[in-house]
């Protein structure tokens, strides 16, 4: 098969790496890709949001399957674009329909879906410019901290957690009246604060049946001890030690099953990944958010633990035959540590020469923000590399990731040294 993968991050390098292990994948294009995908596949200078260009490329290169990495093309309806065009409607697109992608594209849509399907989540109300005063009033009925969420996509920055009531009311006005996050905050969801440890649960579904992939825990803050600004994620471990069989049984019966059944009840076409952001509140799983794609850097620990043929699984998703497929998981733990550009997630410099990747032979070095320049590999983003390793336990895997990072150099590189340190080893 000839496959086109859309995206350019560490997630896409990990998906590409995994798909290329399949005998069914004879050729892989990545659009636009990075220096890592360039080494193992063929990068194409295509904008994943330019659907006409994607169609043209697909026809020209006889693409048999399109796999969508990031949420943007999905929220903009790439699945429906293919479905509604007779020339390309036969090509499976791995990812949900535009309506399905609203689970990530609109916080309010997601909350309504959760409540309608009796899935445990934080109590909430949503407000617009016209109801801003009611929103300020609603905040007085909640205890601190206050959680304000811009309804639309805001590049991971649309959630504010504030300790002070007056400040929360002011921020609500900034979001609704002064459009702090543009259109994304024309509606704001205010919800009850949930106290617990977060984890990510990944599900692959064909809309009828589902497979639960390994769990992972992501480290979102830039600073050690989970301090400082939010990032896309600075490291991840899989499996999550506290997500034991008892906890996962609750996740499956209370959250995963009702999610897939809810999609069916609403006739929502969904053939792709569901990333369920969970929080463990005293042993009870609750949903913080849905995403309609894999997580990054979670993919860099989840994909190495999937033993089954990913292309076969995607084919089964396309044909809605996932129920007959098997999912085999590697028993080993996997960890990843992100190496970032100094300054990220604020301003940082690009174009630094990266050396030593070839010496990190005990790990899999997935590229995130990198590009080629002749024979050199240069930094070209905030998150630059995801250094993933296996181990019998996650502390052993982490030791390998850190030993590998010690062999890699670029100017002003930064990484957190405390990934996984908060977790008990089982
Ligand atoms: P979201 O984009 O909805 O995942 O929110 C971003 C981050 O804000 C989450 O990963 C959590 O760390 C935090 N968060 C969101 N909602 C809540 C909540 N109701 N209670 C506590 N923390 C939350
Ligand atoms: N690592 C979190 C995300 O991909 O949204």
């Amino acid at each position: 098969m000839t496959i086109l993968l859309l995206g350019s991050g560490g997630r896409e390098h990990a998906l590409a790496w995994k798909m290329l292990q399949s005998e069914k994948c004879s050729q892989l294009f990545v659009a636009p890709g990075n220096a890592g995908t360039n080494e193992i596949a063929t990068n194409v200078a295509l904008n994943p949001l330019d659907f006409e260009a994607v169609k043209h490329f697909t026809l020209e290169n006889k693409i048999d399957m399109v796999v969508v990495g990031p949420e943007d093309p999905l929220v903009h309806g790439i699945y429906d674009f293919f479905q509604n065009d007779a020339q390309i409607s036969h090509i499976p697109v791995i990812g949900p329909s535009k309506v399905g992608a609203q689970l990530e594209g609109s916080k309010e849509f997601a909350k309504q879906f959760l409540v309608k399907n009796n899935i445990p989540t934080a109590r909430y109300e949503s407000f617009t410019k016209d109801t801003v005063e009611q929103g300020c009033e609603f905040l007085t009925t909640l205890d601190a901290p206050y959680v304000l969420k811009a309804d639309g996509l805001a590049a991971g920055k649309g959630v504010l957690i504030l300790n002070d009531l007056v400040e929360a009311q002011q921020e609500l006005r900034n979001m609704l009246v002064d459009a702090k996050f543009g259109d994304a905050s024309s509606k704001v969801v205010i919800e009850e604060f949930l106290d617990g440890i977060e984890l990510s649960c990944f599900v692959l579904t064909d809309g009828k049946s589902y497979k639960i992939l390994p769990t992972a825990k992501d480290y979102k803050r830039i600073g050690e001890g989970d301090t400082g600004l939010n990032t896309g994620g600075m490291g991840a471990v899989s499996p999550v030690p506290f997500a034991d069989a008892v906890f996962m049984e609750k996740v499956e019966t209370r959250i995963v099953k009702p999610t897939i059944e809810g999609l069916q009840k609403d006739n929502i076409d969904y053939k792709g990944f569901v990333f369920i952001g969970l929080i463990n509140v005293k042993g009870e799983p609750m949903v913080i958010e849905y995403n309609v794609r894999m997580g990054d850097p979670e993919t860099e620990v989840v994909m190495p633990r999937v033993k089954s043929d990913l292309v076969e699984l995607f084919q089964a998703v396309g044909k809605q035959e996932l129920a007959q497929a098997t999912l085999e998981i590697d028993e080993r733990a996997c960890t990843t540590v992100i190496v970032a550009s100094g300054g990220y997630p604020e301003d940082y410099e690009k174009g630094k020469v990266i050396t030593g990747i070839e010496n990190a032979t005990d790990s899999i070095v997935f590229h995130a923000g990198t590009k080629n320049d002749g024979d050199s590999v240069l930094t070209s983003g905030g998150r630059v590399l995801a250094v993933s390793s296996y181990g019998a336990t996650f502390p052993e895997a982490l030791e390998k990731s850190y030993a590998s990072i010690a062999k890699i150099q670029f100017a002003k590189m930064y990484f957190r040294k405390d990934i996984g340190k908060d977790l008990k080893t089982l």
Side-chain angles (χ1 to χ4, degrees):
M1 289 177 84
T2 304
I3 302 175
L4 172 63
L5 169 64
L6 302 180
S8 63
R11 166 183 49 215
E12 285 72 27
H13 190 186
L15 287 170
W17 170 86
K18 182 64 194 159
M19 285 195 284
L20 283 163
Q21 290 171 10
S22 171
E23 281 183 7
K24 300 214 157 148
C25 182
S26 49
Q27 193 169 17
L28 179 65
F29 292 102
V30 189
N34 58 34
T37 59
N38 187 44
E39 252 175 49
I40 57 174
T42 307
N43 282 355
V44 197
L46 258 187
N47 172 1
L49 290 175
D50 185 347
F51 296 168
E52 283 296 339
V54 174
K55 171 186 169 182
H56 186 75
F57 182 85
T58 301
L59 289 171
E60 194 99 311
N61 293 279
K62 300 194 171 48
I63 298 294
D64 300 303
M65 177 188 282
V66 177
V67 179
V68 187
E71 65 279 13
D72 253 10
L74 296 165
V75 173
H76 285 94
I78 194 163
Y79 178 92
D80 311 66
F81 177 86
F82 270 70
Q83 285 274 298
N84 296 332
D85 187 324
Q87 278 182 294
I88 48 174
S89 57
H90 62 285
I91 302 170
V93 173
I94 304 303
S97 61
K98 190 172 183 173
V99 184
Q102 286 300 295
L103 283 181
E104 177 164 0
S106 164
K107 300 275 186 206
E108 193 192 31
F109 180 92
K111 293 300 283 192
Q112 285 172 348
F113 180 89
L114 288 161
V115 170
K116 187 163 68 177
N117 292 292
N118 279 316
I119 300 171
T121 191
R123 203 160 54 88
Y124 84 106
E125 299 245 358
S126 56
F127 300 92
T128 62
K129 200 172 173 178
D130 298 332
T131 55
V132 64
E133 290 315 316
Q134 283 100 305
C136 288
E137 186 58 36
F138 179 66
L139 282 168
T140 66
T141 69
L142 300 174
D143 294 326
Y146 305 95
V147 183
L148 308 182
K149 299 186 174 185
D151 178 60
L153 289 184
K157 298 195 173 77
V159 177
L160 300 179
I161 300 183
L162 303 157
N163 283 313
D164 182 68
L165 176 63
V166 174
E167 196 188 337
Q169 290 173 326
Q170 188 51 47
E171 284 294 353
L172 182 67
R173 289 197 181 94
N174 292 347
M175 287 166 97
L176 290 173
V177 184
D178 302 334
K180 177 169 181 155
F181 299 107
D183 264 1
S185 67
S186 60
K187 224 183 254 172
V188 172
V189 166
I190 300 181
E191 66 179 39
E192 165 193 34
F193 180 81
L194 299 174
D195 199 7
I197 313 186
E198 286 178 60
L199 73 151
S200 309
C201 168
F202 299 97
V203 179
L204 181 64
T205 183
D206 59 3
K208 297 203 293 200
S209 169
Y210 63 84
K211 301 280 179 221
I212 301 181
L213 299 165
T215 53
K217 186 176 187 299
D218 172 23
Y219 290 78
K220 288 211 173 79
R221 301 298 188 101
I222 189 70
E224 279 161 27
D226 271 322
T227 53
L229 293 173
N230 249 325
T231 70
M234 294 301 293
V237 304
S238 178
V240 180
F242 64 80
D244 56 16
V246 174
F247 185 81
M248 288 312 290
E249 167 66 27
K250 291 180 189 171
V251 170
E252 181 160 11
T253 55
R254 297 178 194 172
I255 295 168
V256 177
K257 266 199 187 129
T259 296
I260 306 304
E261 285 166 9
L263 292 169
Q264 282 170 342
K265 268 188 246 160
D266 289 347
N267 282 318
I268 295 176
D269 231 351
Y270 204 119
K271 298 195 189 101
F273 292 107
V274 195
F275 162 176
I276 313 179
L278 296 174
I279 190 157
N280 175 358
V281 184
K282 299 193 181 87
E284 308 304 322
M286 298 185 73
V287 177
I288 290 268
E289 66 165 347
Y290 284 114
N291 294 303
V292 298
R293 51 173 173 85
M294 285 298 291
D296 195 351
E298 292 97 323
T299 310
E300 293 94 300
V301 293
V302 171
M303 283 304 142
R305 297 194 61 229
V306 171
K307 273 201 198 161
S308 309
D309 183 319
L310 185 63
V311 175
E312 271 177 25
L313 286 168
F314 284 161
Q315 280 183 309
V317 166
K319 292 189 210 144
Q320 293 199 297
E321 290 173 359
L322 192 60
Q324 287 95 282
T326 51
L327 175 68
E328 250 194 288
I329 302 301
D330 196 314
E331 287 298 311
R332 287 175 295 175
C334 187
T335 60
T336 198
V337 177
I338 294 287
V339 186
S341 300
Y344 171 78
E346 296 184 281
D347 289 345
Y348 56 85
E349 293 163 22
K350 295 182 189 176
K352 309 287 179 202
V353 178
I354 309 170
T355 55
I357 294 178
E358 68 284 358
N359 300 327
T361 46
D362 283 343
S363 300
I364 313 161
V365 180
F366 293 118
H367 291 225
T370 66
K371 66 170 190 188
N372 293 102
D373 180 28
D375 288 340
S376 303
V377 174
L378 305 183
T379 66
S380 72
R383 294 189 295 170
V384 176
L385 302 169
V387 180
S388 296
S389 316
Y390 291 106
T393 60
F394 75 83
E396 191 184 303
L398 278 166
E399 243 174 69
K400 282 197 208 159
S401 288
Y402 284 119
S404 293
I405 289 176
K407 297 176 180 162
I408 298 172
Q409 302 86 28
F410 62 87
K412 300 191 181 166
M413 66 189 254
Y414 170 80
F415 56 95
R416 269 181 66 169
K417 298 182 184 66
D418 67 337
I419 301 303
K421 292 267 157 58
D422 57 324
L423 296 171
K424 287 198 196 87
T425 319
L426 284 188

